[in-house]
């Protein structure tokens, strides 16, 4: 009876425990299960590359493997593979493991090709294998780089191309060519002297005198792997130059004359206004350290041709423009560049000026077209309504002398306008291209970057369009580029943009028709025949 | 007796009985004086059947523990560990627990894995670290099989901590009853039956896994300084 009760008790306890246990378990592919097993046989290598994956959260140290060989699953040690590798991250969420089998490996028709055994959880089968066959697992196309100091084997990993994540290293050696023709076959590579292949391998000096072949093979731990050999041709010897040429600016000398035509009853007050305008403008030139030459203060003339006070418009008839122009012409004789004759007309009224005055001002503006005359710059301090039909280069509205807005517009005008600035004539502007540093015997030139675009490349007496297929370097002189740019004349100082010319070109000294590798990593068959590609940068 | 005094007498008797019953609820709070119940004792003293053999007040303890985590998760998870704690008084104690679980796939789990490569989306539990409180709800003495006199505390236990399961770490809690049996020489046997919940981040997100954690512990509680 007691035993019966104990049995009931244990059953009850077990049921209670079971009822309290619920883990909502789903089944998923084990992190340790070998997935996506790939087998690729390379005829050239006579080797079958095997790659499989486990989840990246799995600890690969907990697994051992068995592979289907000779009709049964046999233990394998991944470190004993011909090309061993530590597990490596691949396909984002996985660790890839690899193994190689000599010869052609075929999976079982019906069964497990690979089995992992977890130290704790036991055996785990792999998913079905995906066999594949390729001719060779790699290809090479060696090209010399950096003016033949280095070489890039141009290694193309076929395994990567077919999405087989596999890690291996390569080694290389230079092999003599058979004496004779240029396209003579390469000799057999030596057993010794192989070096680890990197993206760029250093070449011996003077190798271009007798171009050799380059042999490359994967590195195997058990025996030498089969190699591929190809001729290594010298690359073009290139030198680059980068020009950043600024177009010179012509600063025109400023000659300034003040013409007073006020209506102020008080003579002292009138003189005070004239002095204020004059000193404000001249002091701003001084503060900005802009050179200026004052030609003087001029006053209108009366009916008798005599100068007036400049403070009574009722008596003034016309302006002494001819005197001002003559003075300006005299002053310009002292300058190297054409001067800008600035006439500051000071008028505080909005009454229409006399026809004589308007005619004089038109004569002033028209004088700029005369040969050997200064550039006429008419600056009105007053109202344009007083001078119908007159074009003013600049106008500053009249402000009372006591106003806080009296000085700022005058000073701002000086800062913004002067000195008037021009460029030299740019319609046929030519830029000389110096020999790039390092270049000794330039033969050809390639224009890599142009801003703005020139019209013509000039090599001695010959002229080429800049997009010509081949640009020869002239003998005995430097080449030039010709530009058709827009000339700027008498621009305001702050508006002036003289512009600059940027030219990047590379010059070939030797082997110009050979293949080269651009900085973008692409290899081009011929430097001379790849017009849009420079070694300097991407095309 | 005057009839008018009867209600008052009944009130006094009822009050005395209430106080006496209240005092028994504190029977475990302190050791008794000299043993047997006496009507000469003041009403405030609790009646004591006999002196408490195993007291816990202000004493440390350390227990070696055997366990088996049951979650219906296709893993067999036996384990062992260590409890170490301290009783602040006869009722309340705190403890730290570390359990090392040797989890393997159950037979069914192994079959599924070997045949299909599928495994439970729960990871195999490896280590459980937790801290908890323990309260004694009583103290009792029973005679087993007419031969063994056993003194024990029925207890309630609550734990919170983390469960390390392969590469995952799951917050975990446990709650349940326990029995603390007092043996000679301050030795103790302890049995807990915790209902557990582990919150493990699986592919489908954080999903709770409920289970049972029975533990059987054996250990020693060193006496307070100067005693015994």
């Amino acid at each position: 009876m007691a035993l019966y009760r104990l049995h009931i008790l244990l059953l009850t306890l077990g049921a209670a425990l079971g009822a309290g246990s619920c883990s909502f378990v789903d089944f998923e592919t084990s992190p340790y299960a070998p997935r996506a097993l790939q087998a690729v046989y390379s005829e050239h290598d006579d080797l079958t590359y095997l790659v499989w994956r486990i989840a990246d959260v799995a600890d690969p140290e907990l697994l051992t493997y068995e592979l289907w060989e000779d009709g049964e699953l046999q233990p394998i040690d991944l470190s004993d593979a011909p090309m061993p590798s530590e597990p490596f991250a691949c396909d984002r969420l996985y660790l890839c493991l690899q193994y190689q089998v000599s010869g052609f490996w075929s999976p079982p028709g019906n069964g497990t090709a690979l089995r992992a055994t977890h130290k704790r959880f036991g055996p785990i089968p792999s998913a079905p294998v995906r066999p594949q066959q390729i001719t060779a697992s790699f290809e090479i196309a060696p090209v010399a780089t950096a003016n033949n100091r280095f070489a890039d084997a141009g290694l193309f990993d076929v395994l990567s191309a077919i999405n087989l994540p596999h890690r291996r290293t390569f080694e290389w050696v230079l092999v003599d060519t058979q004496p004779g023709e240029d396209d003579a076959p390469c000799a057999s590579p030596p057993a010794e002297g192989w070096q680890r292949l990197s993206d760029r391998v250093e070449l011996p000096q003077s190798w271009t005198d007798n171009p050799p072949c380059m042999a490359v093979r994967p590195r195997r731990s058990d025996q030498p792997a089969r190699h591929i050999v190809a001729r290594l041709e010298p690359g073009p010897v290139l030198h680059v130059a980068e020009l950043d040429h600024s177009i010179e600016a012509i600063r025109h000398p400023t000659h300034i004359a003040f013409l007073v035509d006020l209506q102020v009853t008080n003579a002292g007050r009138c003189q005070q206004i004239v002095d204020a305008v004059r000193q404000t403008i001249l002091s701003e030139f001084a503060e900005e350290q802009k050179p200026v030459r004052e030609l003087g203060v001029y006053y209108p003339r009366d009916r008798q041709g005599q100068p007036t006070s400049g403070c009574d418009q009722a008596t003034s008839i016309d302006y002494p423009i001819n005197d001002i122009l003559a003075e300006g012409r005299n002053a310009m004789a002292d300058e190297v560049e054409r001067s800008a004759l600035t006439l500051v007309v000071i008028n505080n009224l909005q009454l229409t000026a006399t026809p004589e005055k308007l005619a004089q001002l038109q004569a002033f503006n028209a004088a700029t077209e005369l040969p050997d005359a200064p550039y006429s710059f008419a600056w009105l301090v007053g109202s344009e309504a007083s001078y119908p039909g007159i074009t003013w280069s600049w106008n500053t509205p009249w402000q009372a002398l006591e106003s806080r807005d009296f000085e700022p517009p005058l000073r701002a005008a000086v800062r913004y306008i002067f000195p008037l600035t021009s460029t030299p004539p740019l319609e046929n502007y030519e830029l000389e291209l110096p020999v790039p540093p390092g270049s000794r015997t330039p033969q050809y030139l390639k224009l890599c970057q142009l801003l703005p675009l020139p019209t013509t490349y000039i090599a001695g007496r010959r002229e080429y369009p800049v997009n010509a297929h081949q640009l020869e370097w002239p003998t005995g002189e430097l080449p030039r580029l010709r530009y058709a740019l827009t000339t700027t004349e008498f621009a305001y100082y702050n508006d002036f943009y003289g512009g600059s010319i940027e030219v990047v070109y590379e010059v070939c000294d030797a082997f110009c028709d050979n293949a080269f590798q651009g900085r973008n990593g692409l290899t081009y068959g011929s430097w001379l025949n790849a017009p849009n590609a420079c070694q300097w940068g991407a095309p | 007796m005057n009839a008018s005094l009867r209600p008052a007498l009944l009130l006094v008797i009822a009050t005395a009985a209430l106080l006496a019953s209240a005092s028994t609820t504190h029977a475990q709070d302190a050791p008794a004086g000299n043993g047997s119940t006496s009507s000469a004792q003041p009403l405030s003293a609790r009646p004591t059947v006999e002196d408490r053999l195993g007291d816990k007040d202000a004493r440390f303890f350390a227990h070696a523990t055997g366990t088996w985590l049951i979650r219906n998760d296709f893993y067999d998870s036996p384990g062992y560990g260590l409890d170490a704690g301290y009783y602040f008084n006869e009722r309340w104690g705190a403890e730290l627990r570390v359990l090392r679980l040797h989890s393997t796939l159950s037979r069914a789990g192994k079959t599924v894995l070997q045949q299909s490569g599928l495994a439970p989306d729960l990871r195999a539990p490896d280590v459980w670290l937790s801290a908890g409180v323990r309260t004694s709800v009583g103290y009792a003495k029973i005679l087993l099989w007419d031969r063994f006199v056993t003194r024990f505390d029925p207890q309630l236990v609550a734990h919170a901590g983390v469960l390390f399961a392969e590469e995952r770490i799951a917050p975990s809690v446990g709650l349940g009853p326990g029995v603390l049996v007092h043996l000679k020489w301050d030795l103790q046997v302890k049995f807990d039956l915790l209902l557990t919940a582990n919150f493990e981040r699986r592919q489908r997100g954080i999903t709770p896994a409920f289970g049972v954690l029975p533990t059987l512990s054996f250990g020693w509680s060193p006496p307070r300084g100067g005693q015994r």
Side-chain angles (χ1 to χ4, degrees), chain A residues 9 37 59 81 91 187 205 224 238 258 282 287 315 339 399 402 428 499 517 539:
Chain A
L9 179 66
L37 173 62
D59 180 2
D91 300 349
Q205 287 189 341
L238 303 173
F258 296 92
L282 294 179
E287 288 173 16
T315 61
S339 60
Q399 297 287 340
E402 292 74 17
N428 285 297
Q517 190 178 59

Side-chain angles (χ1 to χ4, degrees), chain A residues 287-345:
Chain A
E287 288 173 16
E288 290 291 313
Q289 296 182 333
K290 294 179 175 182
V292 64
R293 177 172 171 180
E294 185 185 13
L295 300 183
V297 179
Y298 295 84
Y299 300 94
R301 293 178 299 200
D302 58 15
R303 293 188 183 281
Q304 287 72 40
Q306 296 301 314
T308 65
S309 65
C311 302
D312 181 7
Q313 289 189 1
T315 61
S316 63
I317 301 301
D318 69 348
Y319 294 147
I321 293 298
N322 290 335
D323 295 346
I324 295 171
L325 288 173
E327 190 65 29
R329 203 172 283 117
N330 286 337
M332 193 179 72
D334 300 333
E335 306 288 353
V336 176
E337 301 293 345
R338 187 185 182 194
S339 60
L341 176 55
T342 303
L343 176 65
V344 181
V345 179

Side-chain angles (χ1 to χ4, degrees), chain A residues 411-451:
Chain A
R411 292 186 180 276
V414 172
R415 288 195 300 271
Y416 177 62
I417 297 170
F418 300 103
L420 295 172
T421 309
S422 302
T423 63
L426 298 178
E427 282 70 22
N428 285 297
Y429 191 75
E430 290 187 359
L431 178 66
E432 198 172 63
L433 303 179
V435 179
S439 176
R440 293 177 181 171
T441 56
Q443 296 181 7
Y444 292 94
L445 169 140
K446 191 176 280 187
L447 297 168
C448 305
Q449 181 168 297
L450 298 165
L451 189 69

